[in-house]
Amino acid sequence: MKKRLTIQQKRNERNGFLFALPWIIGFIGFSVYPLIASLYYSFTEFNPVMAPKWVGVENYRNVFDDPLVVKALSNTLFMVLVSTPVNLIAALLLAMVVTRNFKGRGLTRTIFFLPSVIPMVAATMVWIWMFDPTYGYINHFLSLFGMEGPSWLMDPRFTKWALLLMGTWSTGTTMLVCMNALQDVPQSYYESAEIDGANAIQRFFHITVPGIAHVLVYQAVLNMINAFQYFQQVYVIISASSGGGSNAGVASGGPANSILMYPLYLFHTAFTYFDMGKASAMAWLLFIVVSILTFVMTKATKRITENAGVE
């Protein structure tokens, strides 16, 4: 028999709903409705000065036939496939450093984490100055070893590697997560392995990695999603070099479109070309790709967690 609620319990439930109502309204108005509307617009010809006109899957055909979409997707996949493991490895190495007991450990953690809280626009502007081929600190540092630094942000061969270096610099949040995961691995495992004669490399691959495998895969998923949404840094770089990010209504993707990321081209499609229908189709294709990869990596996380153990 279902227990009847008292008047006080009903009042508490009503008050709880009223307190949550502003968030519910905001979620529906700013998340659910735009999501549904963009799905509808992806099947229409639509721009800010004309009403949507149903065109079926024409926008999706245009996306697949657009060579710039292929270029933007290849640039984005570079960031996904290269920056994700590089950033994860860098964060793990930093976490292993700051979990050791040494004098000044707290200050070291703060220094490593600090780049993650610096506003992205400000940090990108500093990196633009550091990448300057004539006055930048990076090429000046290379010159100390007799090496001639490249034109990082003007040479298509080096632009994406410059972005990779920028991203590796701000891995503080991932470092903290890995640090907490490392501290949860029982020290008795390391002590037993050391007694059995296991060296540092063996302890790392047979104890550390299996012990934090679920955290590593989870962070890999988050880094992958962030890489697919790579936009702000390239937009600031292009805007700083061109004075606005586009020229005469033409989307700019840096030298030879070498840093034309998929979200940046989506942005230009919507707000430079004013093709909102095609931009909506691009957004939904990106959503589908990221959802599939996230599902696959989530399944991998479950399998790794089940099989993880100390050998």
Side-chain angles (χ1 to χ4, degrees):
M1 182 176 179
K2 187 177 179 180
K3 184 179 179 180
R4 299 184 61 181
L5 297 177
T6 65
I7 296 178
Q8 184 61 39
Q9 289 175 328
K10 292 181 179 180
R11 183 179 295 113
N12 291 340
E13 286 191 350
R14 182 198 62 192
N15 292 340
F17 174 76
L18 291 177
F19 276 111
L21 188 60
W23 182 89
I24 296 174
I25 294 174
F27 177 73
I28 294 175
F30 295 104
S31 295
V32 177
Y33 171 74
L35 190 68
I36 297 174
S38 67
L39 179 61
Y40 167 72
Y41 291 143
S42 69
F43 295 100
T44 66
E45 181 182 354
F46 170 58
N47 61 53
V49 296
M50 65 174 289
K53 178 183 177 182
W54 185 266
V55 294
V57 296
E58 187 66 27
N59 287 322
Y60 292 91
R61 292 198 188 99
N62 292 337
V63 170
F64 289 112
D65 292 337
D66 190 344
L68 282 181
V69 169
V70 177
K71 180 66 175 179
L73 187 58
S74 65
N75 292 336
T76 304
L77 287 176
F78 174 89
M79 300 304 298
V80 172
L81 300 177
V82 179
S83 71
T84 297
V86 169
N87 291 345
L88 196 59
I89 292 173
L92 179 58
L93 293 177
L94 291 177
M96 294 179 67
V97 170
V98 297
T99 50
R100 295 179 176 273
N101 291 321
F102 60 91
K103 187 176 181 179
R105 183 175 63 173
L107 178 61
T108 304
R109 290 178 177 178
T110 303
I111 293 174
F112 286 161
F113 179 72
L114 191 60
S116 298
V117 299
I118 297 177
M120 186 59 65
V121 174
T124 304
M125 294 300 296
V126 172
W127 276 102
I128 292 174
W129 174 66
M130 292 179 64
F131 281 128
D132 187 276
T134 305
Y135 305 105
Y137 280 162
I138 295 179
N139 281 2
H140 176 70
F141 176 77
L142 295 176
S143 67
L144 298 178
F145 300 91
M147 302 171 60
E148 183 178 355
S151 300
W152 292 96
L153 299 177
M154 293 179 283
D155 190 336
R157 297 174 300 172
F158 295 97
T159 49
K160 286 191 284 292
W161 295 106
L163 297 180
L164 180 64
L165 183 59
M166 291 172 54
T168 307
W169 179 68
S170 57
T171 57
T173 302
T174 306
M175 178 200 72
L176 288 182
V177 176
C178 292
M179 182 186 70
N180 291 329
L182 288 171
Q183 292 174 339
D184 288 338
V185 179
Q187 289 298 315
S188 58
Y189 291 175
Y190 294 103
E191 295 169 358
S192 299
E194 192 171 357
I195 293 174
D196 291 339
N199 57 36
I201 296 178
Q202 291 173 327
R203 292 196 299 270
F204 175 77
F205 284 104
H206 293 283
I207 298 177
T208 303
V209 174
I212 64 172
H214 59 293
V215 174
L216 292 178
V217 178
Y218 173 71
Q219 287 300 311
V221 171
L222 294 182
N223 279 273
M224 178 200 69
I225 294 174
N226 290 333
F228 269 113
Q229 297 176 341
Y230 203 93
F231 170 79
Q232 194 171 11
Q233 298 92 321
V234 290
Y235 184 78
V236 172
I237 291 172
I238 294 171
S239 298
S241 60
S242 65
S246 61
N247 184 18
V250 179
S252 175
N257 285 324
S258 58
I259 55 174
L260 180 65
M261 300 298 167
Y262 191 90
L264 178 64
Y265 187 49
L266 191 158
F267 172 83
H268 283 306
T269 301
F271 300 107
T272 300
Y273 302 138
F274 296 109
D275 192 347
M276 300 293 182
K278 181 180 176 182
S280 298
M282 292 177 63
W284 271 94
L285 289 175
L286 179 62
F287 172 76
I288 293 172
V289 170
V290 173
S291 298
I292 293 174
L293 291 177
T294 302
F295 175 79
V296 171
M297 295 190 71
T298 302
K299 288 295 184 181
T301 304
K302 183 178 180 180
R303 178 170 298 180
I304 289 174
T305 303
E306 292 175 349
N307 297 334
V310 181
E311 300 182 19

